Amino acid sequence: MIRRLSFFLPCFLVASGLSAAAAEEPAPDTVIQSQSCEIMSTDTQTLSVFTGNVIVTGNNIRLTCDRLDVVSLRSGGKQDTLGKQERFKSLVATGKVRIVQGEREATCEHAEVLPGEDRITLTGGPVVIDHGNNSMATGEPLVLYRRERRITGTNVRIVLPPLKDLGFDQHQPPPDIGDRKSTRLNSSH
């Protein structure tokens, strides 16, 4: 049986215990804000659909978008309207998605966050900027891996900081090789 709740005023959901705890101090709660939300619950899962100016803040992540569909696993009594939210199964963000995580920033039209797999898949013109190493990546799709500072994708274009000029100085005379013999030229035996 599905129970349905609709909120047409700004909806604030504070989901306690959804983020993994840090070794020294507990992780902050995950907070989702939106203009409206609809929550549907079964005995094992809760689907929350947030629309309009969605803002998610949590453990080292901030996500903004037009719509967010959140599937979380739940426990508690079967008669409870919402039950206790145990952990996120998935978050799917659509429409002007922006994710900031540490020194990385991503924008796209569609993002699928899978916390159990520690990855975020970006589609719809994704751009990822790593402010830590001054690089940018585009592609379709791009996949970001949590804790690895790693990104994969197809049709990828990477922009990196300038490489050091490995050429010769045009204002310097060529080196005098004189009596020196190149090992490459004399290595035929």
Side-chain angles (χ1 to χ4, degrees):
M1 176 178 198
I2 296 178
R3 293 169 180 66
R4 185 175 285 212
L5 294 176
S6 295
F7 300 96
F8 296 103
L9 298 174
C11 180
F12 299 93
L13 172 68
V14 178
S16 60
L18 295 176
S19 300
E24 296 172 5
E25 60 184 65
D29 291 338
T30 300
V31 179
I32 304 172
Q33 301 172 218
S34 69
Q35 290 177 335
S36 65
C37 73
E38 182 175 359
I39 301 173
M40 298 159 276
S41 187
T42 67
D43 292 344
T44 59
Q45 295 186 143
T46 297
L47 170 63
S48 304
V49 179
F50 299 89
T51 55
N53 298 319
V54 180
I55 301 170
V56 180
T57 55
N59 193 16
N60 192 30
I61 192 166
R62 177 180 170 90
L63 180 147
T64 59
C65 60
D66 293 334
R67 177 187 170 117
L68 178 67
D69 295 3
V70 178
V71 176
S72 56
L73 302 177
R74 64 166 276 183
S75 63
K78 292 182 180 183
Q79 302 305 317
D80 294 346
T81 302
L82 293 178
K84 180 180 177 188
Q85 305 306 300
E86 293 293 333
R87 61 187 166 92
F88 288 127
K89 182 176 179 183
S90 67
L91 294 92
V92 177
T94 53
K96 295 181 280 205
V97 178
R98 182 171 181 256
I99 302 169
V100 177
Q101 183 180 41
E103 294 182 329
R104 293 190 297 182
E105 178 179 348
T107 58
C108 63
E109 283 301 311
H110 183 90
E112 182 178 22
V113 180
L114 299 172
E117 298 176 26
D118 287 337
R119 69 180 165 93
I120 300 172
T121 302
L122 309 174
T123 57
V127 176
V128 176
I129 299 171
D130 190 327
H131 298 285
N133 66 13
N134 197 29
S135 65
M136 181 182 74
T138 60
E140 189 75 30
L142 292 177
V143 182
L144 288 72
Y145 296 89
R146 187 170 167 243
R147 295 190 195 118
E148 296 182 36
R149 294 187 62 85
R150 180 169 72 108
I151 186 171
T152 63
T154 56
N155 300 315
V156 175
R157 179 175 185 259
I158 305 287
V159 178
L160 300 168
L163 293 174
K164 179 181 174 185
D165 184 359
L166 300 176
F168 62 92
D169 185 350
Q170 294 177 349
H171 303 292
Q172 295 288 326
D176 181 23
I177 56 172
D179 291 333
R180 288 182 276 163
K181 295 180 181 179
S182 170
T183 52
R184 255 197 268 166
L185 295 175
N186 294 325
S187 62
S188 59
H189 46 291

